[in-house]
């Protein structure tokens, strides 16, 4: 047997040698895969996706240093991958690009579902395995995809007279019965509203979304939502039920007006597309076959003014198929207009993201109790309160109590911001409003059963905002600096509710462009707001299209309709796309918004005389200690024409840079020349030869704008820097800046090398300063530097929000300089780790960020004259690491004497720093501080 075996083995070994291919090391597949597959602005396996020309992104495993090539495959079924992709195959592309790679396959259409995978080749040219399969499913991309009609009740006939005699629509309850003959294979619900809605299928809530579909310029575009409802639809009888309220579309917004088709009754648009197991299809649409009533428990719902809920009118079982709605009204229909685009929502919906339960009772009377949520928040309360039948529970809200403990609501202005619940029986009720939102820290309840002692479990805070994910972090050894970071992030959460708002509590809550442009970099570090900002920019483009001269209004969506623009505000059309590009590396945002940016610069040009624009300006809004009082004083002391010219130049300069990125060389030169001409006019008009601002009233912001926007000749700039330092010294090293000057103050001082000075300003505790509000009990950023004090209570100005994010823009400097984590190339393709400690104030700081390539972090501490720096550099990037001490002889890396190697190379050694080029990896540095 052994002899036979040997005879058989020999031919086999020869055959194997002849026929098996030789696999070189460069072709050997590594046991690694790409992860975090996303499309466009970071969507993971979206349903109802908006983008028929998506981009693809992925992250490499930490074991990989860099990517040398990739291949993408796409198919109509996961079973076809990886061997038979029937939609697109990119082939092997030699490139290190792993973010925002363009789809280059055939045109995609509505409802299409695409499955895709990625393979990469590492720095050794070794291929990975194919990734796990990702997918995206497109929504209805054009109006003609809709067979439904707008439908709803004529609620104008039973409207309610609200605040300022504004007529409010009664909330509607709408439903449609349908039957299916067999088992369901798949079902998609496409839905939107002129108003806000909550939708049920067979008694079950379809989603946990809040205030859908959100807020866009409704006269231009209404966003639609897609839900996979396969598990909710069944053979036999079914019921589709919708609760509908006014929301932004038909409610009271801003100046007490409804700007969309005047007093239009709210309506829904709904299309349920079902594929049955036998292959047949059925479509249920909103039309004249629907039934509705306004005689339900939700009697009133207003974003500003709250809700009224009468439990005596609850309609038991109305969302179930067995309910008899034969006595309900037939709805009225309206056709879809071609002038208003119906498009899938292009950013995350609003959701309840957190529940605050750590509550304390701060005061009680015979008839009321006041709770402290311990955090100024945006959302609604959830109450669990004992009541007697027929009594009305009144729920009021406040941001801060007066010094004597009095409940205070005057800064809400005309926003009533009050909820009411009318009890139908004795006992404990549980309830939360649905179609409103409030900004608050304190809640007052009255109307409960007085025989019961109030307890802290009577109320919870349901925190609501766009479902943005936290991607950045910052902490330090300084308790108040950590509180400032908390205030920044809470201020962002509380003002990113479908659009970026100025405040969440008073009769405003609008998308002010100036506030947004100063906070966007800080927002994008803390939260994944890429899609949020690009969606809002689309609304901005649509709104600008109404103005032939390129005007960008104060707010987006533009409910003011006053045909005005402001420097520093309209510039959001240029600044935010540029910031998004630099932070994410997504060039598509520049392509989408390039024409808008050019038109805005054109607006400046059309309103200029000798390069000095004469348009309106809010200027350095809410600068402390203004010379004038009242509304004019709110604009600060930096003159309107000065601010106009500075931003005209800055936007022109940015457009030239955007043109360069997009390869538009003629435009690059055109706008660069324009910027230079404006800068020359700026210096000639506003500065003397000694670099001093030609104005009796000197301001920090005048010098900050001139220096940061690079509007002065080099020799004049040096002199202007000294005047800036003098102005800061005159203010006893306090800031003296408003909305426009504050975000660039740390950047200018940093560029000047005045980092210790910036530390000194940041850690000031008296007015005006960042820590002043914290000493007064702030848990969010304030609109004014002195909005409230424990001693004097509220600032008497009527415009006084305790939840305004603009001054939180300092966060960017905290992350980039104190912790030392910033980007040197768009999208963090090249990272800078360069902390500069100041042990007078802190001895430890740390920041981390989930960049488009993976987690990057910088964490340092100083202990007994020893400096420790821990860093993480993600795959497919590089980094410059700056050790802020010139102590090369004592420098250790991972506990060993520092030596250059393939991962770490010294760039140079300077007076106060050692600069090292680093490849991806984790590094621990240690050196002496002296």
């Amino acid at each position: 047997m052994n002899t036979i075996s040997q005879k058989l083995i020999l031919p086999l070994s020869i055959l194997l040698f002849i026929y098996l291919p030789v696999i070189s090391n460069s072709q050997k597949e590594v046991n690694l895969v790409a992860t975090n597959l996303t499309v466009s602005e970071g969507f993971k396996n979206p349903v109802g996706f908006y983008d028929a020309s998506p981009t693809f992104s992925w992250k490499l495993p930490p074991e990989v240093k860099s990517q040398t090539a990739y291949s993408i495959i796409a198919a109509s079924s996961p079973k076809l991958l990886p061997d038979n992709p029937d939609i697109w195959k990119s082939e092997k592309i030699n490139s290190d690009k792993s973010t925002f790679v363009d789809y280059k396959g055939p045109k995609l259409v509505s409802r299409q579902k695409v499955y895709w995978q990625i393979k990469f080749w590492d720095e050794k040219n070794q291929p990975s395995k194919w990734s796990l399969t990702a997918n995206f499913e497109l929504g209805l991309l054009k109006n003609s995809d809709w067979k439904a009609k707008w439908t709803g009740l004529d609620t104008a006939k039973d409207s309610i007279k609200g605040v300022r005699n504004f007529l409010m629509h009664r909330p509607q309850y709408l439903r449609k019965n349908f039957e299916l003959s067999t088992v369901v294979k798949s079902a998609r619900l496409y839905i939107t509203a002129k108003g806000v809605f909550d939708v049920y299928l067979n008694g079950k809530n379809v989603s946990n979304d809040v205030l859908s579909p959100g807020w866009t310029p409704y006269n231009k575009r209404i966003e639609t939502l897609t839900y996979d409802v396969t598990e909710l639809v069944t053979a036999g009888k079914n019921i589709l039920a919708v609760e509908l309220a006014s929301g932004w579309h038909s409610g009271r917004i801003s100046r007490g007006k409804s700007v969309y088709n005047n007093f239009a009754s709210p309506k829904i648009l709904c299309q349920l597309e079902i594929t049955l197991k036998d292959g047949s299809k059925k479509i249920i649409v909103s039309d004249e076959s629907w039934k509705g009533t306004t005689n339900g428990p939700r009697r009133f719902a207003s974003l500003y003014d709250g809700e009224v809920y009468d439990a005596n009118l609850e309609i038991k079982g109305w969302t179930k198929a067995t309910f008899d709605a034969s006595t309900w009204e037939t709805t009225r229909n309206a056709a879809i207009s071609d002038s208003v685009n119906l498009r899938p929502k292009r950013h995350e919906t609003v959701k309840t993201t957190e529940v605050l339960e750590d509550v304390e009772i701060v005061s009680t009377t015979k008839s009321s109790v006041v709770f402290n949520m311990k955090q100024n928040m945006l959302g609604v309360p959830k109450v669990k309160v004992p009541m007697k039948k027929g009594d009305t529970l009144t729920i009021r809200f406040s941001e801060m109590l007066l010094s004597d403990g009095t409940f205070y609501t005057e800064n809400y202005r005309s926003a009533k911001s009050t909820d009411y619940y009318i009890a139908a029986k004795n006992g404990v009720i549980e309830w939360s409003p649905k179609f409103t939102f409030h900004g608050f820290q304190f809640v007052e309840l009255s109307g409960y059963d007085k025989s019961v002692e109030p307890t802290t479990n009577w109320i919870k805070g349901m925190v609501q905002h766009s479902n943005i994910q936290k991607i950045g972090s910052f902490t330090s050894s300084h308790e108040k600096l950590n509180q400032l970071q908390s205030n920044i992030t809470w201020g962002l959460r509380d003002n990113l509710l479908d659009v970026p708002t100025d405040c969440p509590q008073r009769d405003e809550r609008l998308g002010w462009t100036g506030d947004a442009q100063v906070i966007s970099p800080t927002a994008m570090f803390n939260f994944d707001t890429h899609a949020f900002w690009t969606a809002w920019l689309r609304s901005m483009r649509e709104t600008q299209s109404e103005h032939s001269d390129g005007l960008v209004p104060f707010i987006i969506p533009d409910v003011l309709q006053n045909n005005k623009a402001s420097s520093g505000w309209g510039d959001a059309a240029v600044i935010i796309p540029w910031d998004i590009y630099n932070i994410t590396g997504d060039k598509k945002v520049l392509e989408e918004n390039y024409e808008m940016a050019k038109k805005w610069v054109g607006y400046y040009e059309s309103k200029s005389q000798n390069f000095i624009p004469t348009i309106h300006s809010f200027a350095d809004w809410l600068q402390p200690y203004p010379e004038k009082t009242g509304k004019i004083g709110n604009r600060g002391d930096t003159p309107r024409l000065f601010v106009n010219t500075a931003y005209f130049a800055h936007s022109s300069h940015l457009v030239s840079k955007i043109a360069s990125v997009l390869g538009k060389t003629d435009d690059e030169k055109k706008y660069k020349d324009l910027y230079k001409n404006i800068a020359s006019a700026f210096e000639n008009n506003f500065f003397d030869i000694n670099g001093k601002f030609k104005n009796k009233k000197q301001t920090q912001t005048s010098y900050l704008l001139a220096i940061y926007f690079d509007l002065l000749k080099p020799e004049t700039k040096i002199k202007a820097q000294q005047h800036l330092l003098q102005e800061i010294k005159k203010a006893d090293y306090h800031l003296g800046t408003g909305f426009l000057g504050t975000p660039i103050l740390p950047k200018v001082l940093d560029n000047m090398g005045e980092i210790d000075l910036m530390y000194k300003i940041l850690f000031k505790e008296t007015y005006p300063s960042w820590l002043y509000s914290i000493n007064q009990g702030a848990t969010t950023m304030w609109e004014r530097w002195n909005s409230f004090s424990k001693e004097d209570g509220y600032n008497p100005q009527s415009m006084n929000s305790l939840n305004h994010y603009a001054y939180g823009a300092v966060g960017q400097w905290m992350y980039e300089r104190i912790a030392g984590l910033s980007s040197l190339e768009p999208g963090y393709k090249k990272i800078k780790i360069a902390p500069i400690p100041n042990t007078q104030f802190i001895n430890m700081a740390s920041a981390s960020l989930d960049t488009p390539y993976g987690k990057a972090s910088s964490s340092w501490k100083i202990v007994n004259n020893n400096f420790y720096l821990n860093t993480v550099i993600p795959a497919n990037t590089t980094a410059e690491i700056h050790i802020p001490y010139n102590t090369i002889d004592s420098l250790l890396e991972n506990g060993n004497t520092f030596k250059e190697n393939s991962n770490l190379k010294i760039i140079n050694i300077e007076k106060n720093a050692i600069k090292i080029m680093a490849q991806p990896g984790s590094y621990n540095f240690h050196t002496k501080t002296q």
Side-chain angles (χ1 to χ4, degrees):
M1 185 174 289
N2 289 341
T3 304
I4 297 173
S5 298
Q6 289 172 355
K7 288 181 180 179
L8 289 173
I9 288 171
L10 182 60
L12 272 174
S13 63
I14 294 172
L15 286 171
L16 286 169
F17 178 79
I18 295 172
Y19 290 108
L20 283 180
V22 177
I23 302 176
S24 69
N25 287 335
S26 64
Q27 295 176 319
K28 189 182 297 180
E29 189 177 82
V30 294
N31 191 28
L32 297 170
V33 295
T35 60
N36 293 88
L37 275 64
T38 61
V39 286
S40 298
E41 297 94 350
F43 293 91
K44 294 182 179 179
N45 301 331
V47 175
F49 188 46
Y50 82 94
D51 194 355
S53 301
T55 57
F56 300 100
S57 301
W58 56 91
K59 293 177 181 177
L60 305 183
E63 298 89 342
V64 173
K65 296 298 182 185
S66 61
Q67 173 186 289
T68 56
Y70 68 83
S71 179
I72 301 173
I73 51 177
S76 58
S77 168
K79 296 179 181 179
L80 296 175
L81 296 177
D83 298 325
N84 299 295
D86 60 341
I87 294 180
W88 179 51
K89 184 177 182 180
S90 72
E91 303 299 342
K92 181 180 179 181
I93 306 296
N94 293 316
S95 170
D96 67 348
K97 191 172 179 61
S98 58
T99 62
F100 309 110
V101 175
D102 291 333
Y103 168 75
K104 295 182 179 179
K107 183 179 179 180
L108 303 177
V109 298
S110 297
R111 306 178 182 85
Q112 187 169 358
K113 190 164 187 176
V114 177
Y115 298 86
W116 65 285
Q117 291 180 311
I118 166 71
K119 173 189 282 191
F120 68 86
W121 281 257
D122 66 10
E123 68 275 9
K124 298 176 182 178
N125 200 32
Q126 293 178 324
S128 71
K129 292 185 175 181
W130 286 106
S131 68
L132 296 177
T133 303
N135 65 78
F136 60 92
E137 181 181 324
L138 294 168
L140 303 185
L141 302 178
K142 54 187 186 297
N143 287 21
S144 59
D145 293 322
W146 289 86
K147 310 305 176 188
K149 300 175 184 177
W150 289 105
T151 198
L153 300 175
D154 179 10
T155 50
K157 63 180 174 57
D158 59 357
S159 58
I160 316 149
K161 187 171 287 189
V163 176
R164 292 179 175 173
N165 291 321
F166 185 80
L167 294 177
M168 304 292 291
H169 295 276
R170 188 81 71 186
Q172 304 176 42
Y173 296 80
L174 307 171
R175 46 180 278 131
K176 164 70 177 179
N177 288 92
F178 63 95
E179 289 193 36
L180 299 176
S181 59
T182 186
V183 177
V184 173
K185 180 181 179 182
S186 67
R188 296 291 184 270
L189 176 64
Y190 303 98
I191 187 169
T192 189
K194 293 178 179 178
V196 289
F197 70 86
D198 193 19
V199 58
Y200 301 83
L201 258 171
N202 294 324
K204 295 182 180 179
N205 207 313
V206 168
S207 79
N208 59 358
D209 294 340
V210 175
L211 298 174
S212 294
W215 193 9
T216 52
Y218 298 123
N219 57 330
K220 294 290 184 180
R221 175 175 49 95
I222 297 177
E223 291 187 317
T224 65
L225 294 165
T226 305
Y227 298 108
D228 182 349
V229 293
T230 305
E231 300 301 319
L232 300 181
V233 187
T234 184
K237 293 183 178 181
N238 292 266
I239 177 68
L240 184 57
V242 178
E243 195 173 358
L244 177 65
S246 297
W248 294 276
H249 182 277
S250 305
R252 188 171 76 92
I253 297 296
S254 187
R255 306 300 189 246
K257 300 175 183 177
S258 174
V259 299
Y260 305 110
N261 197 23
N262 298 316
F263 191 54
S265 295
K267 286 181 168 40
I268 62 156
L269 186 70
C270 175
Q271 190 159 302
L272 175 59
E273 299 187 359
I274 303 166
T275 301
L276 300 173
K277 199 165 187 179
D278 62 8
S280 63
K281 297 181 183 296
K282 188 163 186 176
I283 300 179
I284 310 300
V285 299
S286 51
D287 58 15
E288 61 278 359
S289 64
W290 283 57
K291 294 284 189 174
T293 184
T294 58
N295 193 30
R298 214 170 304 276
R299 309 306 297 149
F300 175 89
S302 163
L303 296 180
Y304 285 176
D305 302 319
E307 282 193 10
V308 178
Y309 188 92
D310 188 345
N312 296 281
L313 298 176
E314 288 182 341
I315 312 169
K316 187 176 181 180
W318 77 278
T319 63
K320 296 182 179 179
T322 53
F323 180 81
D324 180 8
S326 60
T327 61
W328 286 19
E329 295 179 60
T330 299
T331 58
R332 297 188 179 187
N333 300 325
I336 294 172
S337 170
D338 290 336
S339 65
V340 178
N341 291 319
L342 300 169
R343 297 294 184 268
K345 193 170 185 68
R346 60 178 294 174
H347 70 295
E348 295 293 341
T349 55
V350 175
K351 292 184 184 294
T352 298
T353 62
E354 185 176 348
V355 179
L356 301 185
E357 300 185 54
D358 183 15
V359 179
E360 66 178 2
I361 295 175
V362 295
S363 67
T364 57
T365 68
K366 291 181 180 179
S367 59
S368 66
V369 57
V370 175
F371 298 89
N372 182 359
M373 310 304 297
K374 300 183 181 180
Q375 174 62 54
N376 202 354
M377 58 164 280
L378 163 68
V380 294
K382 184 173 184 179
V383 295
K384 186 178 181 181
V385 179
M387 293 189 69
K388 292 183 177 180
K389 181 178 180 179
D391 284 353
T392 299
L393 181 72
T394 301
I395 311 171
R396 297 200 304 147
F397 304 90
S398 177
E399 292 190 287
M400 198 78 83
L401 304 182
L402 294 179
S403 55
D404 62 359
T406 305
F407 205 74
Y408 183 86
T409 60
E410 287 184 24
N411 69 322
Y412 286 43
R413 300 193 303 205
S414 75
K416 194 174 180 181
S417 196
T418 304
D419 298 322
Y420 301 92
Y421 180 96
I422 303 167
K425 59 183 179 180
N426 295 331
V428 175
I429 63 98
E430 292 189 46
W431 179 74
S432 185
K434 181 179 291 187
F435 295 126
T436 187
F437 64 91
H438 308 283
F440 64 97
Q441 180 171 335
F442 295 86
V443 184
E444 179 194 73
L445 300 183
S446 61
Y448 51 85
D449 185 345
K450 297 175 186 176
S451 67
V452 181
E453 189 74 19
T455 60
T456 56
N457 67 352
W458 279 17
I459 190 165
K460 297 177 182 179
M462 314 299 286
V463 178
Q464 297 173 337
H465 53 79
S466 290
N467 193 30
I468 49 176
Q469 301 302 307
K470 189 165 179 58
I471 58 172
S473 68
F474 172 85
T475 191
S476 75
S477 57
H478 197 286
E479 181 181 352
K480 291 181 181 178
L481 191 63
N482 293 342
Q483 184 62 53
L484 176 58
Q485 168 64 5
S486 176
N487 292 6
I488 290 169
T489 55
W490 272 101
L492 288 166
R493 294 172 70 181
D494 294 346
N495 284 290
L496 299 179
L497 188 137
D498 211 68
V499 301
T501 61
D502 58 328
C503 61
Q505 75 295 91
R506 67 176 179 234
D507 56 353
E508 204 163 352
R509 317 182 196 187
L510 305 175
W512 284 93
T513 50
D515 308 45
Q517 69 92 353
V518 301
I519 199 62
S520 59
T522 297
M524 283 186 273
F525 181 92
N526 284 286
F527 298 99
D528 183 3
T529 51
H530 184 182
F532 181 91
W533 291 113
T534 54
W536 188 62
L537 287 171
R538 177 167 182 171
S539 293
M540 190 181 293
R541 294 195 301 273
E542 290 164 339
T543 303
Q544 188 194 48
S545 71
E546 299 175 356
H547 303 276
S548 58
D549 57 2
L551 178 149
V552 175
F554 302 154
I555 59 174
I556 302 295
D558 181 22
V559 296
L560 295 182
Q561 298 285 299
N562 61 8
N563 201 37
K564 290 183 179 179
S566 169
S567 58
W569 271 249
D571 298 273
V574 186
I575 294 171
I576 294 179
W578 182 246
D579 285 341
I580 294 173
Y581 166 68
N582 281 289
I583 292 169
T584 67
D586 181 10
K587 193 164 74 171
K588 193 172 184 178
V589 70
L590 300 182
E591 297 167 346
E592 286 184 338
N593 295 288
Y594 182 61
E595 291 302 318
M596 175 172 69
K598 288 202 304 179
K599 288 175 183 177
W600 170 247
V601 171
Y603 176 75
Y604 270 130
E605 286 187 280
S606 69
K607 305 296 182 182
S608 296
Q609 297 178 1
N610 300 317
F611 301 107
I612 309 294
T614 58
I615 68 171
H616 169 81
S617 182
F618 291 111
D620 196 24
W621 190 248
L622 300 184
Q623 166 218 304
Y625 300 120
E627 280 194 328
K628 297 178 181 179
T629 59
K631 291 184 178 180
I632 295 297
N634 287 339
R635 300 177 188 177
D637 299 316
T638 306
R640 170 177 63 95
L641 296 182
F642 182 103
V643 176
N644 289 350
T645 312
Y647 271 92
F648 180 22
H650 184 52
S651 281
S652 300
H653 197 190
L654 290 184
V655 169
S656 73
K657 293 180 178 181
I658 294 170
S660 176
V661 172
L662 298 180
K664 300 177 182 293
T665 54
D666 290 344
D667 276 0
E668 179 187 2
K669 182 180 185 305
K670 172 185 173 181
Y671 287 99
K672 191 170 186 179
D673 289 344
L674 177 60
Y675 150 70
K676 289 179 179 179
N677 288 333
I678 303 166
S680 178
F682 176 88
E683 181 171 344
N684 291 337
N685 277 274
F686 300 115
F687 283 82
D688 63 22
I689 59 173
N690 295 314
K692 187 174 183 179
F693 176 35
K694 296 178 186 177
N695 197 55
K696 181 179 179 181
K697 175 68 174 179
Q698 299 288 291
T699 66
Q700 293 178 19
T701 295
S702 61
Y703 291 103
L704 292 168
L705 291 175
I707 294 166
Y708 187 66
F709 292 169
D710 202 13
L711 304 180
L712 305 174
K713 293 191 287 287
E715 59 273 21
T716 309
K717 182 177 180 179
I718 292 172
K719 297 173 184 177
Q721 289 173 340
Q722 295 308 307
H723 289 297
L724 170 62
L725 297 178
Q726 290 174 19
E727 290 305 310
I728 294 173
K729 185 177 180 181
K730 286 179 187 177
D732 189 28
Y733 302 102
H734 286 76
L735 55 82
T737 51
F739 277 28
L740 297 184
T742 297
I744 62 176
L745 170 67
K747 298 176 183 180
V748 169
L749 293 180
D750 199 284
N751 291 338
M752 290 169 58
E754 296 286 348
I755 295 168
D756 286 342
L757 175 57
M758 185 57 217
Y759 266 104
K760 188 173 185 178
I761 295 171
L762 177 62
F763 284 93
K764 280 285 186 180
E765 301 208 17
T766 52
Y767 168 76
S769 69
W770 282 280
L771 300 191
Y772 172 79
S773 63
I774 292 171
N775 292 336
Q776 308 309 314
T779 60
T780 45
M781 304 306 298
W782 289 353
E783 182 173 21
R784 297 175 181 271
W785 291 112
N786 60 344
S787 286
F788 177 89
S789 73
K790 291 179 179 178
E791 182 177 353
D792 300 323
Y794 278 87
N795 186 309
Q797 298 279 347
S798 64
M799 189 188 68
N800 187 29
S801 162
L802 300 189
N803 206 339
H804 241 73
Y805 52 40
Y807 290 141
V810 71
Q812 183 182 9
W813 188 79
M814 291 159 52
Y815 319 140
E816 294 184 357
R817 177 54 74 212
I818 296 180
L821 176 59
S822 62
S823 176
L824 285 175
E825 292 181 4
Y828 289 82
K829 179 65 173 172
K830 187 174 183 180
I831 298 167
K832 183 179 181 181
I833 305 291
I836 296 188
N838 186 318
T839 53
Q840 180 182 349
F841 302 103
I842 57 174
N843 54 37
M844 183 279 286
S846 176
S848 67
L849 177 65
D850 187 9
T851 77
Y853 297 92
K855 182 181 178 181
S857 66
S858 172
S859 179
W860 63 266
K861 64 181 179 180
I862 294 176
V863 181
N864 297 327
N865 296 323
N866 287 277
F867 173 77
Y868 300 89
L869 174 64
N870 299 330
T871 69
V872 175
I873 312 302
N876 212 28
T877 69
T878 57
E880 276 190 20
I881 299 175
H882 297 194
I883 309 297
Y885 301 97
N886 183 356
T887 51
I888 186 67
D889 293 337
S890 63
L891 181 62
L892 303 179
E893 193 269 314
N894 288 338
N896 300 311
T897 299
F898 176 82
K899 292 182 179 180
E900 290 187 293
N901 53 52
S902 59
N903 291 325
L904 298 170
K905 299 285 186 181
I906 291 178
I907 302 172
N908 56 46
I909 301 175
E910 299 180 350
K911 182 179 179 181
N912 296 315
I914 304 167
K915 296 184 178 180
I916 300 169
M917 179 62 70
Q919 298 299 314
S922 299
Y923 303 100
N924 302 311
F925 296 97
H926 170 207
T927 191
K928 297 291 185 181
T929 60
Q930 57 186 13

